Coordinates of all heavy atoms in Angstrom, one line a residue:
M17 N 0.8 -1.2 0.0 CA 0.0 0.0 0.0 C 0.9 1.3 0.0 O 1.9 1.3 0.6 CB -0.9 0.0 1.3 CG -1.8 -1.2 1.4 SD -3.2 -1.2 0.2 CE -4.4 -0.3 1.2
A18 N 0.4 2.3 -0.7 CA 1.1 3.6 -0.7 C 0.1 4.7 -0.7 O -1.0 4.6 -1.2 CB 2.0 3.6 -1.9
T19 N 0.6 5.8 -0.1 CA -0.2 7.0 -0.2 C 0.1 7.8 -1.5 O 1.2 7.5 -2.1 CB 0.0 8.0 1.0 OG1 1.4 8.4 0.9 CG2 -0.2 7.3 2.3
E20 N -0.7 8.7 -1.9 CA -0.5 9.5 -3.1 C 0.9 10.2 -2.9 O 1.6 10.3 -3.9 CB -1.6 10.4 -3.4 CG -1.4 11.3 -4.6 CD -2.6 11.9 -5.1 OE1 -3.7 11.6 -4.7 OE2 -2.5 12.8 -6.0
Q21 N 1.1 10.7 -1.7 CA 2.4 11.4 -1.5 C 3.6 10.5 -1.6 O 4.6 10.9 -2.2 CB 2.4 12.0 -0.1 CG 2.8 13.4 0.0 CD 2.5 14.0 1.4 OE1 2.2 13.2 2.4 NE2 2.6 15.3 1.6
E22 N 3.5 9.3 -1.1 CA 4.6 8.4 -1.2 C 4.9 8.0 -2.7 O 6.0 7.9 -3.2 CB 4.4 7.1 -0.4 CG 4.5 7.3 1.1 CD 3.9 6.2 1.9 OE1 3.1 5.4 1.3 OE2 4.1 6.1 3.0
L23 N 3.8 7.9 -3.4 CA 3.8 7.5 -4.8 C 4.5 8.7 -5.6 O 5.3 8.4 -6.5 CB 2.4 7.2 -5.3 CG 2.2 6.2 -6.4 CD1 2.8 4.9 -6.0 CD2 0.7 6.1 -6.7
Q24 N 4.1 9.9 -5.3 CA 4.6 11.0 -5.9 C 6.2 11.1 -5.7 O 6.9 11.4 -6.7 CB 4.0 12.3 -5.4 CG 4.5 13.6 -6.1 CD 3.9 13.8 -7.5 OE1 2.8 14.0 -7.7 NE2 4.8 13.7 -8.5
S25 N 6.6 10.9 -4.5 CA 8.0 10.9 -4.3 C 8.8 9.8 -5.0 O 9.9 10.0 -5.5 CB 8.2 11.0 -2.7 OG 9.1 10.0 -2.3
L26 N 8.2 8.6 -5.0 CA 8.8 7.5 -5.8 C 8.9 7.9 -7.2 O 9.9 7.6 -7.9 CB 7.9 6.3 -5.6 CG 8.3 5.0 -6.1 CD1 9.6 4.5 -5.5 CD2 7.2 3.9 -5.9
F27 N 7.8 8.4 -7.8 CA 7.7 8.8 -9.2 C 8.8 9.8 -9.5 O 9.6 9.7 -10.5 CB 6.4 9.4 -9.5 CG 6.2 9.7 -11.0 CD1 5.6 8.7 -11.8 CD2 6.5 11.0 -11.5 CE1 5.5 9.0 -13.2 CE2 6.3 11.2 -12.8 CZ 5.8 10.3 -13.7
D28 N 8.9 10.9 -8.6 CA 9.9 11.9 -8.9 C 11.4 11.4 -8.8 O 12.2 11.8 -9.6 CB 9.8 13.0 -7.8 CG 8.5 13.8 -8.0 OD1 7.9 13.7 -9.1 OD2 8.1 14.5 -7.0
T29 N 11.6 10.4 -8.0 CA 12.9 9.8 -7.9 C 13.2 9.0 -9.2 O 14.3 9.0 -9.7 CB 13.0 8.9 -6.6 OG1 12.6 9.6 -5.5 CG2 14.5 8.4 -6.4
L30 N 12.2 8.3 -9.6 CA 12.4 7.5 -10.8 C 12.6 8.4 -12.1 O 13.3 8.0 -13.0 CB 11.1 6.6 -11.1 CG 11.1 5.2 -10.3 CD1 9.7 4.7 -10.4 CD2 12.1 4.3 -11.0
D31 N 11.9 9.5 -12.1 CA 12.0 10.4 -13.2 C 13.3 11.2 -13.2 O 13.4 12.3 -12.9 CB 10.8 11.4 -13.2 CG 10.7 12.3 -14.4 OD1 11.4 12.0 -15.4 OD2 10.0 13.3 -14.3
G32 N 14.4 10.5 -13.6 CA 15.7 11.0 -13.6 C 15.9 12.3 -14.4 O 16.7 13.2 -14.0
D33 N 15.3 12.4 -15.6 CA 15.5 13.6 -16.4 C 14.5 14.6 -16.1 O 14.5 15.7 -16.8 CB 15.6 13.2 -17.9 CG 14.3 12.6 -18.4 OD1 13.3 12.5 -17.6 OD2 14.3 12.2 -19.6
K34 N 13.6 14.4 -15.2 CA 12.6 15.4 -14.7 C 11.7 15.9 -15.9 O 11.4 17.1 -15.9 CB 13.3 16.6 -14.0 CG 14.1 16.1 -12.8 CD 13.3 15.6 -11.7 CE 14.1 15.1 -10.5 NZ 13.4 14.0 -9.8
D35 N 11.3 15.0 -16.8 CA 10.4 15.5 -17.8 C 8.9 15.2 -17.5 O 8.1 15.4 -18.3 CB 10.8 14.9 -19.2 CG 10.6 13.4 -19.2 OD1 10.3 12.8 -18.2 OD2 10.6 12.8 -20.4
G36 N 8.7 14.8 -16.2 CA 7.3 14.5 -15.8 C 6.8 13.2 -16.2 O 5.6 12.9 -16.0
K37 N 7.6 12.3 -16.8 CA 7.2 11.0 -17.2 C 8.3 10.0 -16.9 O 9.5 10.4 -16.8 CB 6.9 10.9 -18.7 CG 5.8 11.8 -19.2 CD 5.7 11.8 -20.7 CE 6.8 12.7 -21.3 NZ 6.7 12.9 -22.8
V38 N 7.9 8.8 -16.6 CA 8.9 7.7 -16.3 C 8.9 6.8 -17.5 O 7.9 6.2 -17.9 CB 8.6 7.0 -15.0 CG1 9.4 5.7 -14.9 CG2 8.8 7.9 -13.8
S39 N 10.1 6.6 -18.1 CA 10.3 5.8 -19.3 C 10.8 4.4 -18.9 O 11.2 4.2 -17.7 CB 11.4 6.4 -20.2 OG 12.6 6.4 -19.5
I40 N 10.8 3.5 -19.8 CA 11.2 2.2 -19.6 C 12.7 2.2 -19.1 O 13.1 1.5 -18.2 CB 11.0 1.3 -20.8 CG1 11.3 -0.2 -20.5 CG2 11.9 1.7 -22.0 CD1 10.1 -0.9 -20.0
N41 N 13.5 3.1 -19.7 CA 14.9 3.1 -19.3 C 15.1 3.6 -17.8 O 15.9 3.1 -17.1 CB 15.7 4.1 -20.2 CG 16.0 3.5 -21.5 OD1 16.0 2.3 -21.7 ND2 16.3 4.4 -22.5
E42 N 14.2 4.6 -17.4 CA 14.3 5.0 -16.0 C 13.9 3.9 -15.1 O 14.4 3.8 -14.0 CB 13.4 6.3 -15.9 CG 14.1 7.5 -16.6 CD 13.2 8.7 -16.7 OE1 11.9 8.6 -16.6 OE2 13.7 9.8 -16.9
L43 N 12.9 3.1 -15.5 CA 12.5 2.0 -14.7 C 13.7 1.0 -14.6 O 14.0 0.4 -13.5 CB 11.3 1.3 -15.2 CG 10.0 2.1 -15.0 CD1 8.9 1.5 -15.8 CD2 9.6 2.0 -13.5
F44 N 14.3 0.7 -15.7 CA 15.5 -0.2 -15.6 C 16.7 0.3 -14.9 O 17.4 -0.5 -14.3 CB 15.9 -0.6 -17.1 CG 15.0 -1.7 -17.7 CD1 14.4 -1.5 -18.9 CD2 14.7 -2.9 -17.0 CE1 13.6 -2.4 -19.5 CE2 13.8 -3.8 -17.5 CZ 13.3 -3.6 -18.8
L45 N 16.8 1.6 -14.8 CA 17.9 2.2 -14.1 C 17.8 2.1 -12.6 O 18.8 2.2 -11.9 CB 18.1 3.7 -14.5 CG 18.8 3.9 -15.9 CD1 18.7 5.4 -16.3 CD2 20.3 3.4 -15.8
S46 N 16.6 1.9 -12.1 CA 16.3 1.8 -10.7 C 15.6 0.5 -10.3 O 14.4 0.6 -10.0 CB 15.5 3.0 -10.2 OG 16.1 4.2 -10.5
P47 N 16.3 -0.6 -10.4 CA 15.6 -1.9 -10.2 C 14.9 -2.0 -8.8 O 13.8 -2.6 -8.7 CB 16.7 -2.9 -10.3 CG 18.0 -2.2 -10.6 CD 17.7 -0.8 -10.7
G48 N 15.5 -1.3 -7.8 CA 14.9 -1.4 -6.5 C 13.5 -0.7 -6.4 O 12.5 -1.2 -5.9
L49 N 13.5 0.5 -7.1 CA 12.2 1.3 -7.1 C 11.2 0.6 -8.0 O 10.0 0.6 -7.8 CB 12.5 2.7 -7.5 CG 13.4 3.5 -6.6 CD1 13.6 4.9 -7.1 CD2 12.7 3.6 -5.2
S50 N 11.7 0.0 -9.1 CA 10.8 -0.7 -10.0 C 10.2 -1.9 -9.3 O 9.0 -2.2 -9.6 CB 11.6 -1.3 -11.2 OG 12.0 -0.3 -12.1
A51 N 10.9 -2.5 -8.4 CA 10.3 -3.6 -7.6 C 9.2 -3.1 -6.7 O 8.2 -3.8 -6.6 CB 11.4 -4.3 -6.8
V52 N 9.3 -1.9 -6.2 CA 8.3 -1.3 -5.4 C 7.1 -1.1 -6.2 O 5.9 -1.4 -5.9 CB 8.7 0.0 -4.7 CG1 7.6 0.6 -3.9 CG2 9.9 -0.3 -3.8
I53 N 7.3 -0.5 -7.4 CA 6.2 -0.2 -8.4 C 5.5 -1.5 -8.7 O 4.3 -1.6 -8.7 CB 6.7 0.4 -9.7 CG1 7.4 1.8 -9.4 CG2 5.7 0.5 -10.7 CD1 6.5 2.9 -9.2
S54 N 6.3 -2.6 -9.0 CA 5.7 -3.9 -9.3 C 4.8 -4.4 -8.2 O 3.7 -4.9 -8.5 CB 6.8 -4.9 -9.5 OG 7.5 -4.6 -10.7
S55 N 5.2 -4.2 -7.0 CA 4.4 -4.8 -5.9 C 3.2 -3.9 -5.7 O 2.1 -4.4 -5.3 CB 5.2 -5.0 -4.6 OG 5.3 -3.8 -3.8
E56 N 3.3 -2.6 -5.9 CA 2.1 -1.7 -5.7 C 1.1 -1.8 -6.8 O -0.1 -1.6 -6.6 CB 2.6 -0.2 -5.5 CG 3.4 0.1 -4.3 CD 2.7 -0.1 -3.0 OE1 1.5 -0.3 -3.0 OE2 3.4 -0.1 -1.9
T57 N 1.5 -2.2 -8.0 CA 0.6 -2.3 -9.1 C 0.2 -3.7 -9.4 O -0.8 -3.9 -10.1 CB 1.2 -1.7 -10.4 OG1 2.4 -2.5 -10.7 CG2 1.6 -0.3 -10.3
G58 N 0.9 -4.7 -8.8 CA 0.6 -6.1 -9.1 C 1.0 -6.5 -10.5 O 0.6 -7.5 -11.0
I59 N 1.8 -5.6 -11.2 CA 2.3 -5.9 -12.5 C 3.8 -6.1 -12.5 O 4.5 -5.2 -12.1 CB 1.9 -4.8 -13.5 CG1 0.4 -4.6 -13.5 CG2 2.5 -5.0 -14.9 CD1 0.0 -3.3 -14.3
S60 N 4.2 -7.3 -12.8 CA 5.6 -7.7 -12.5 C 6.6 -7.1 -13.4 O 7.7 -6.8 -13.0 CB 5.7 -9.2 -12.5 OG 5.3 -9.7 -13.7
S61 N 6.3 -6.8 -14.7 CA 7.4 -6.3 -15.5 C 7.1 -4.9 -16.0 O 5.9 -4.5 -16.2 CB 7.6 -7.2 -16.8 OG 6.6 -6.8 -17.8
P62 N 8.1 -4.0 -16.0 CA 8.0 -2.6 -16.5 C 7.4 -2.6 -17.9 O 6.6 -1.7 -18.1 CB 9.4 -2.1 -16.5 CG 10.2 -3.0 -15.5 CD 9.5 -4.3 -15.6
Q63 N 7.8 -3.5 -18.8 CA 7.2 -3.5 -20.1 C 5.7 -3.6 -20.1 O 5.0 -2.9 -20.8 CB 7.7 -4.6 -21.0 CG 9.2 -4.5 -21.4 CD 10.1 -5.3 -20.4 OE1 9.8 -5.4 -19.3 NE2 11.1 -5.8 -21.0
E64 N 5.2 -4.5 -19.2 CA 3.8 -4.7 -19.2 C 3.1 -3.5 -18.6 O 2.0 -3.1 -19.0 CB 3.4 -6.0 -18.4 CG 2.0 -6.4 -18.6 CD 1.6 -7.6 -17.7 OE1 2.4 -8.3 -17.2 OE2 0.4 -7.7 -17.6
L65 N 3.7 -2.9 -17.5 CA 3.1 -1.8 -16.9 C 2.9 -0.6 -17.9 O 1.9 0.0 -18.1 CB 4.0 -1.3 -15.8 CG 3.6 0.0 -15.1 CD1 2.3 -0.2 -14.2 CD2 4.7 0.6 -14.3
L66 N 4.0 -0.4 -18.7 CA 3.9 0.7 -19.7 C 2.9 0.3 -20.8 O 2.2 1.2 -21.3 CB 5.3 1.0 -20.3 CG 6.3 1.5 -19.2 CD1 7.6 2.0 -19.9 CD2 5.7 2.7 -18.4
S67 N 2.9 -0.9 -21.3 CA 2.0 -1.2 -22.4 C 0.6 -1.1 -21.9 O -0.3 -0.8 -22.7 CB 2.3 -2.6 -23.1 OG 2.0 -3.6 -22.2
R68 N 0.3 -1.4 -20.6 CA -1.1 -1.3 -20.2 C -1.5 0.1 -19.8 O -2.7 0.4 -20.0 CB -1.3 -2.2 -19.0 CG -1.6 -3.6 -19.4 CD -1.5 -4.7 -18.4 NE -2.5 -4.6 -17.3 CZ -2.6 -5.5 -16.3 NH1 -1.9 -6.6 -16.4 NH2 -3.5 -5.4 -15.4
Y69 N -0.6 0.9 -19.3 CA -1.0 2.2 -18.7 C -0.5 3.5 -19.4 O -1.1 4.5 -19.3 CB -0.7 2.3 -17.3 CG -1.6 1.4 -16.5 CD1 -1.3 0.1 -16.1 CD2 -2.9 1.9 -16.1 CE1 -2.2 -0.7 -15.4 CE2 -3.8 1.1 -15.4 CZ -3.4 -0.2 -15.0 OH -4.3 -1.0 -14.4
A70 N 0.6 3.4 -20.1 CA 1.2 4.6 -20.7 C 0.4 4.9 -22.0 O 0.3 4.1 -22.9 CB 2.7 4.4 -21.1
S71 N -0.2 6.2 -22.0 CA -1.0 6.5 -23.2 C -0.2 7.3 -24.2 O -0.6 7.4 -25.4 CB -2.2 7.3 -22.7 OG -1.8 8.5 -22.1
G72 N 0.9 7.9 -23.8 CA 1.6 8.8 -24.7 C 2.3 8.0 -25.8 O 2.6 6.8 -25.6
E73 N 2.7 8.6 -26.9 CA 3.3 8.0 -28.0 C 4.7 7.5 -27.7 O 5.2 6.6 -28.3 CB 3.4 8.9 -29.2 CG 2.0 9.1 -29.9 CD 2.1 10.1 -31.0 OE1 3.2 10.5 -31.4 OE2 1.0 10.4 -31.5
D74 N 5.4 8.2 -26.7 CA 6.7 7.8 -26.4 C 6.8 6.6 -25.4 O 7.9 6.1 -25.1 CB 7.5 8.9 -25.8 CG 6.9 9.5 -24.5 OD1 5.8 8.9 -24.1 OD2 7.4 10.4 -23.9
G75 N 5.6 6.1 -25.0 CA 5.6 4.9 -24.1 C 6.0 5.2 -22.7 O 6.1 4.2 -21.9
S76 N 6.1 6.4 -22.3 CA 6.4 6.7 -20.9 C 5.2 6.9 -20.1 O 4.1 7.2 -20.7 CB 7.2 8.1 -20.8 OG 8.5 7.9 -21.4
I77 N 5.3 6.7 -18.8 CA 4.1 6.7 -18.0 C 4.1 8.0 -17.2 O 5.1 8.5 -16.7 CB 4.0 5.5 -17.0 CG1 2.6 5.3 -16.4 CG2 5.1 5.5 -15.9 CD1 2.4 3.9 -15.8
T78 N 2.9 8.7 -17.1 CA 2.8 9.9 -16.3 C 2.4 9.5 -14.8 O 2.0 8.4 -14.6 CB 1.7 10.8 -16.8 OG1 0.4 10.1 -16.7 CG2 1.9 11.2 -18.3
F79 N 2.5 10.5 -13.9 CA 2.1 10.2 -12.6 C 0.6 9.8 -12.5 O 0.3 8.8 -11.7 CB 2.4 11.4 -11.7 CG 2.0 11.2 -10.2 CD1 2.6 10.2 -9.5 CD2 0.9 11.9 -9.7 CE1 2.2 10.0 -8.2 CE2 0.5 11.7 -8.4 CZ 1.1 10.7 -7.6
E80 N -0.2 10.5 -13.2 CA -1.7 10.1 -13.2 C -1.9 8.7 -13.6 O -2.7 8.0 -13.0 CB -2.5 11.1 -14.0 CG -2.6 12.5 -13.4 CD -3.3 12.5 -12.0 OE1 -4.3 11.7 -11.8 OE2 -2.8 13.2 -11.2
E81 N -1.1 8.3 -14.6 CA -1.3 6.9 -15.1 C -0.8 5.9 -14.1 O -1.4 4.8 -13.9 CB -0.6 6.7 -16.5 CG -1.3 7.5 -17.6 CD -0.5 7.7 -18.8 OE1 0.8 7.5 -18.8 OE2 -1.1 8.1 -19.9
L82 N 0.3 6.2 -13.5 CA 0.9 5.3 -12.5 C -0.1 5.2 -11.3 O -0.4 4.1 -10.8 CB 2.2 5.8 -12.0 CG 2.8 5.0 -10.8 CD1 3.2 3.6 -11.3 CD2 4.1 5.7 -10.3
K83 N -0.7 6.4 -10.9 CA -1.6 6.4 -9.8 C -2.8 5.5 -10.1 O -3.3 4.7 -9.3 CB -2.1 7.8 -9.6 CG -2.5 8.1 -8.2 CD -2.7 9.6 -8.0 CE -4.1 10.1 -8.5 NZ -4.3 11.5 -8.3
Q84 N -3.3 5.6 -11.4 CA -4.4 4.7 -11.8 C -4.1 3.2 -11.7 O -4.9 2.4 -11.2 CB -4.8 5.1 -13.2 CG -6.1 4.4 -13.7 CD -7.3 4.8 -12.8 OE1 -7.5 6.0 -12.6 NE2 -8.0 3.9 -12.3
A85 N -2.8 2.9 -12.1 CA -2.4 1.5 -12.0 C -2.4 1.0 -10.6 O -2.9 -0.1 -10.3 CB -1.0 1.3 -12.6
V86 N -1.9 1.8 -9.6 CA -1.9 1.5 -8.2 C -3.3 1.4 -7.6 O -3.7 0.5 -6.9 CB -1.0 2.4 -7.4 CG1 -1.1 2.1 -5.9 CG2 0.4 2.4 -7.9
K87 N -4.2 2.3 -8.1 CA -5.6 2.4 -7.7 C -6.3 1.1 -8.1 O -7.0 0.5 -7.4 CB -6.2 3.6 -8.3 CG -7.3 4.2 -7.4 CD -8.0 5.4 -8.1 CE -7.3 6.7 -7.7 NZ -8.0 7.9 -8.3
N88 N -6.0 0.7 -9.3 CA -6.7 -0.5 -9.9 C -6.3 -1.8 -9.1 O -7.0 -2.7 -9.1 CB -6.3 -0.7 -11.4 CG -7.1 0.3 -12.2 OD1 -7.9 1.1 -11.8 ND2 -6.7 0.4 -13.5
A89 N -5.1 -1.7 -8.5 CA -4.6 -2.9 -7.7 C -5.1 -2.7 -6.3 O -4.7 -3.5 -5.4 CB -3.1 -3.0 -7.8
S90 N -5.9 -1.7 -6.0 CA -6.4 -1.4 -4.7 C -5.3 -1.2 -3.7 O -5.4 -1.6 -2.5 CB -7.3 -2.5 -4.2 OG -8.4 -2.7 -5.1
N91 N -4.2 -0.6 -4.1 CA -3.1 -0.3 -3.2 C -2.9 1.2 -2.9 O -1.8 1.5 -2.4 CB -1.8 -0.9 -3.8 CG -1.7 -2.4 -3.5 OD1 -2.2 -2.9 -2.5 ND2 -1.1 -3.2 -4.4
L92 N -3.8 2.0 -3.3 CA -3.7 3.4 -3.0 C -4.5 3.7 -1.8 O -5.6 3.4 -1.7 CB -4.2 4.3 -4.2 CG -3.8 5.8 -4.1 CD1 -2.3 5.9 -4.3 CD2 -4.5 6.6 -5.2
T93 N -3.8 4.3 -0.8 CA -4.5 4.5 0.5 C -4.9 6.0 0.6 O -4.2 6.8 0.0 CB -3.6 4.2 1.7 OG1 -2.3 4.8 1.6 CG2 -3.4 2.7 1.8
Ligands
CA111 CA1 11.7 10.9 -17.3

């Protein structure tokens, strides 16, 4: 379980280039944080998370999309 605030801080840490989106590379660069995301979303691989939730053409996920993924797994407190 995570609060929106915790999720935001996790997202900001993952977003290394600070463009407001988390890309597949950024997920791979932080395996520890990716593991937290996996457990909060119930989706084991970053590829699957992005293919299911990232709506943009570049395949990166926004905070709102990540929040939705965690919400769908009933892990947003
Ligand atoms: Ca980024």
Side-chain angles (χ1 to χ4, degrees):
M17 302 287 268
T19 63
E20 180 163 347
Q21 226 170 11
E22 287 165 345
L23 212 55
Q24 180 77 67
S25 128
L26 184 63
F27 185 90
D28 291 344
T29 309
L30 275 167
D31 184 14
D33 63 3
K34 304 291 173 208
D35 67 349
K37 294 172 288 187
V38 167
S39 66
I40 191 85
N41 284 338
E42 288 169 339
L43 284 165
F44 279 129
L45 282 170
S46 303
L49 295 179
S50 289
V52 176
I53 298 277
S54 292
S55 89
E56 296 294 351
T57 58
I59 299 173
S60 55
S61 84
Q63 289 97 325
E64 196 188 339
L65 176 71
L66 295 187
S67 73
R68 274 166 67 170
Y69 286 98
S71 62
E73 286 174 9
D74 60 1
S76 296
I77 195 169
T78 64
F79 178 65
E80 286 303 316
E81 290 164 348
L82 176 65
K83 205 170 80 179
Q84 190 58 51
V86 175
K87 214 181 264 182
N88 287 352
S90 303
N91 278 330
L92 194 68
T93 51

